[in-house]
Amino acid sequence: MKSFETFHPLVIFAFFAAAIGLSMFFMHPAYLVITIFLAVSLNIALRRGQFFKDWKLYVPLFFLMAIINPLISHNGKLVLFYINYNAITVEAIVYGLSIATMIVSIILWFSCYNETITTDKFIYLFGKISPVFSLTLSISLRLVPRFQQQLHKISNAQKVIGMDYRSGSLLHRIKCTLRIISILITWALDNAIDTADSMKARGYGIGKRTSFSLFIFERRDGIVLLFIMFLLMVNIWASIIGTTTFYFYPTFSIIQWDLKNILFYCSYFLLLAIPIIIEIKGGIEWKLLKSKM
Amino acid sequence: MQKRLSLIISLVIIFIFIPLTLYAGIVLFNDRKYYFISIMIIILASIPFFLSFERRKPQPREILIIAVMSAISVTGRALFVITPGFKPVAAIAAITGFSLGAEAGFLTGAISALVSNMFFGQGPWTPFQMFMWGMIGFIGGLLGRTGIMHKKIPLILFGIFAGILFSFGMDIWGTMSLYGVFSMEAYIVALTSAVPFTIVYAVSNVIFLLILARPIREKLERINNKYGTFQ
């Protein structure tokens, strides 16, 4: 049961744009902790088993990035030890860890994005801003599986006339593969002209293009979108007045824990937690409905 | 009028928005937000290309041929999924550029990157990949006008150049994601550690260009003669 997916594409896109944009931006430790925590939670909520498979990729990446920075950067006041007269500092290590956290969270956000913004949603969104580009994109996207099918057909037909690309000497195989690709390209280009003429015959370019979609902007979409916008503004405000600024060099700046800052941290948490809150709400509703049955 | 408007918008983006973003990155964000700023700049730099295509109101035939060339390079990328770096995408974008001009080359490269990442997963690297492959197609288009790309030696040189360009461009992204900031020292480390990849890019470009350039050019010319698509 994934409730966040059922929201209007605009809402989902706005959330990811805000989340990824802000995650790239904030290097403050408190913010980083919030980011990585919520990115991991959303990943578990949306991708379950898939996420635990990907861990093998993220952990080495994380440590690689964390190790490289202190070797490159020798700034900072708290020196741990020296390698070849180059200081290895606490600041550089922590900075490397922070960068690693940031990058891993962005990759995690993107894997959630890939899960929720399917291609039809993407084309629906960009069809309004850039109709020609998204038309090209959607034709191209559709052609890929078609070409794969056609490749299969062509290679079967070639096999019958003794041009099997899987048998014979290496030279023969290469020759057959090139033949198949050449046939595919000729076929594809000729076919493209047919499609284009058919589009023209049906009046492409005369009026405004209509497109089919099942997405309806409901009231709940409006509410969530307003919420995202409001929290985004609050966070931009926080970064303008300097709440999110944090210096690693020459030495760490102090993390503030007064009420104002805690409220800003909460607003960031709330913004990134929107899909998780929606998922949890959906889950509870589903359980309640089931228990009533 | 249509054309002029898109030119004005492009000029505004290139001469006002991009420097403004750089300025904001240096002054407002204390020269620390390279990652964010670089992605913003790459996106801004790609806008003029898409905008001029959009405003020109291209004919269905142009749209279809660009879509077909992108789909072929995506299919090619999917076929060579097991060999890292050894992909025909840059070569096909360049060949499209040779025959159909700089704009078509850019769009083929950029759309190939976007569409193939729809299959393999989008990430923060998508805008960089789109821009780099698009640029290879664009430069291919500019060189194609001179007519020297029919010969073998310029083709080989272009393949090597495109491999190095792609590697240098993607390493800017790589450096910034590994170190958070862009330092020349780190960039050189990244470039030297990426040398095997650069070689694979260059070699694959040369191979695919040598194999594919002539047949695809002939096919596009044939379509052009038969239907008179791109004048």
Side-chain angles (χ1 to χ4, degrees):
Chain A
M1 201 38 204
K2 283 164 191 165
S3 352
F4 186 55
E5 271 181 352
T6 62
F7 274 75
H8 192 269
L10 190 64
V11 178
I12 306 176
F13 194 79
F15 169 77
F16 280 111
I20 293 169
L22 291 180
S23 306
M24 274 182 204
F25 219 71
F26 294 160
M27 286 292 286
H28 191 291
Y31 281 84
L32 283 176
V33 170
I34 296 171
T35 314
I36 191 85
F37 172 69
L38 289 172
V40 169
S41 322
L42 186 63
N43 245 283
I44 293 171
L46 292 179
R47 300 173 70 231
R48 308 260 151 101
Q50 198 62 37
F51 171 71
F52 292 104
K53 266 186 214 158
D54 288 352
W55 251 148
K56 285 170 207 132
L57 200 89
Y58 298 140
V59 172
L61 190 74
F62 184 84
F63 282 104
L64 180 76
M65 286 190 284
I67 290 165
I68 287 172
N69 189 58
L71 297 179
I72 296 276
S73 157
H74 308 293
N75 297 330
K77 277 183 180 164
L78 305 168
V79 177
L80 279 181
F81 51 88
Y82 288 87
I83 295 177
N84 292 339
Y85 304 106
N86 283 323
I88 300 294
T89 63
V90 181
E91 283 90 348
I93 293 171
V94 174
Y95 186 72
L97 282 171
S98 306
I99 284 286
T101 315
M102 185 188 95
I103 300 296
V104 169
S105 359
I106 289 168
I107 293 172
L108 288 172
W109 285 131
F110 265 104
S111 55
C112 295
Y113 167 95
N114 286 329
E115 203 72 14
T116 41
I117 302 264
T118 45
T119 40
D120 60 322
K121 290 180 189 168
F122 183 84
I123 286 164
Y124 167 79
L125 280 172
F126 283 84
K128 299 223 163 117
I129 309 166
S130 177
V132 181
F133 174 64
S134 68
L135 177 68
T136 320
L137 199 67
S138 71
I139 294 172
S140 178
L141 200 61
R142 191 265 169 276
L143 286 176
V144 175
R146 199 172 173 195
F147 285 0
Q148 281 165 345
Q149 281 169 9
Q150 193 67 22
L151 265 180
H152 194 68
K153 278 188 196 166
I154 296 168
S155 61
N156 277 345
Q158 289 292 308
K159 203 161 138 188
V160 179
I161 56 167
M163 301 292 280
D164 186 4
Y165 73 98
R166 272 167 295 199
S167 63
S169 64
L170 187 67
L171 196 70
H172 177 78
R173 287 181 189 199
I174 293 171
K175 225 170 123 187
C176 294
T177 313
L178 288 179
R179 236 173 102 106
I180 292 169
I181 292 169
S182 159
I183 295 169
L184 176 76
I185 295 173
T186 312
W187 174 85
L189 287 172
D190 251 315
N191 229 29
I193 298 291
D194 276 350
T195 315
D197 286 348
S198 146
M199 276 166 69
K200 199 156 191 185
R202 283 158 168 259
Y204 174 83
I206 292 173
K208 210 168 165 274
R209 232 166 62 82
T210 54
S211 55
F212 171 76
S213 65
L214 287 170
F215 307 114
I216 303 159
F217 198 83
E218 291 170 37
R219 225 180 106 220
R220 57 166 198 169
D221 296 313
I223 294 167
V224 175
L225 191 62
L226 276 178
F227 211 58
I228 292 172
M229 287 302 157
F230 171 71
L231 287 172
L232 183 65
M233 288 300 154
V234 170
N235 279 288
I236 291 173
W237 177 243
S239 94
I240 290 170
I241 62 168
T243 311
T244 60
T245 329
F246 188 84
Y247 292 104
F248 291 87
Y249 304 121
T251 193
F252 305 119
S253 43
I254 303 150
I255 303 175
Q256 311 243 311
W257 288 109
D258 53 10
L259 187 65
K260 189 189 82 184
N261 283 299
I262 290 173
L263 279 177
F264 276 128
Y265 301 157
C266 287
S267 77
Y268 186 63
F269 185 89
L270 213 59
L271 173 62
L272 296 190
I274 286 172
I276 297 168
I277 294 169
I278 291 169
E279 289 295 327
I280 292 171
K281 197 170 148 270
I284 292 170
E285 273 169 6
W286 179 239
K287 284 244 167 68
L288 279 177
L289 279 174
K290 259 197 349 201
S291 67
K292 274 182 194 162
M293 271 195 268
Chain B
M1 189 58 218
Q2 286 277 328
K3 236 178 185 167
R4 192 174 293 166
L5 188 67
S6 75
L7 185 72
I8 291 170
I9 297 175
S10 304
L11 288 178
V12 166
I13 287 173
I14 292 167
F15 289 109
I16 298 176
F17 279 115
I18 292 177
L20 213 64
T21 319
L22 282 172
Y23 179 78
I26 293 166
V27 175
L28 291 182
F29 309 130
N30 300 316
D31 213 10
R32 278 267 164 222
K33 305 291 179 199
Y34 285 88
Y35 200 63
F36 183 80
I37 297 295
S38 65
I39 287 178
M40 286 308 289
I41 286 173
I42 284 287
I43 292 171
L44 281 174
S46 312
I47 288 176
F49 295 100
F50 294 118
L51 199 73
S52 74
F53 184 59
E54 194 75 41
R55 309 275 327 182
R56 201 160 56 82
K57 296 221 174 355
Q59 288 299 303
R61 283 179 176 181
E62 293 175 67
I63 297 178
L64 253 301
I65 290 197
I66 289 168
V68 163
M69 294 317 287
S70 321
I72 286 171
S73 68
V74 175
T75 317
R77 198 180 171 199
L79 282 179
F80 288 95
V81 74
I82 32 161
T83 47
F86 196 83
K87 308 274 188 278
V89 183
I92 290 177
I95 294 166
T96 314
F98 296 157
S99 303
L100 306 178
E103 189 192 41
F106 182 87
L107 288 166
T108 305
I111 290 175
S112 308
L114 191 58
V115 171
S116 62
N117 285 348
M118 281 176 175
F119 291 103
F120 301 114
Q122 306 283 0
W125 53 82
T126 306
F128 282 87
Q129 241 173 12
M130 283 175 71
F131 189 75
M132 289 330 291
W133 276 333
M135 250 9 246
I136 290 170
F138 187 81
I139 297 167
L142 295 182
L143 288 173
R145 235 184 249 172
T146 59
I148 52 163
M149 301 317 284
H150 296 330
K151 297 194 191 82
K152 283 229 164 68
I153 292 162
L155 217 54
I156 292 170
L157 290 177
F158 181 77
I160 294 167
F161 163 75
I164 293 171
L165 180 74
F166 186 74
S167 184
F168 273 46
M170 291 310 281
D171 281 342
I172 294 180
W173 176 76
T175 313
M176 271 178 301
S177 39
L178 283 180
Y179 313 110
V181 293
F182 185 84
S183 74
M184 211 52 211
E185 198 188 346
Y187 186 50
I188 289 163
V189 172
L191 280 182
T192 43
S193 63
V195 162
F197 271 95
T198 315
I199 292 170
V200 173
Y201 292 144
V203 168
S204 68
N205 283 343
V206 170
I207 291 174
F208 284 118
L209 277 173
L210 286 178
I211 293 175
L212 295 173
R214 206 172 58 88
I216 293 183
R217 190 181 70 231
E218 282 172 359
K219 284 179 212 304
L220 286 171
E221 269 168 15
R222 177 181 154 272
I223 288 290
N224 224 347
N225 289 337
K226 193 173 168 188
Y227 301 101
T229 314
F230 285 80
Q231 243 70 40

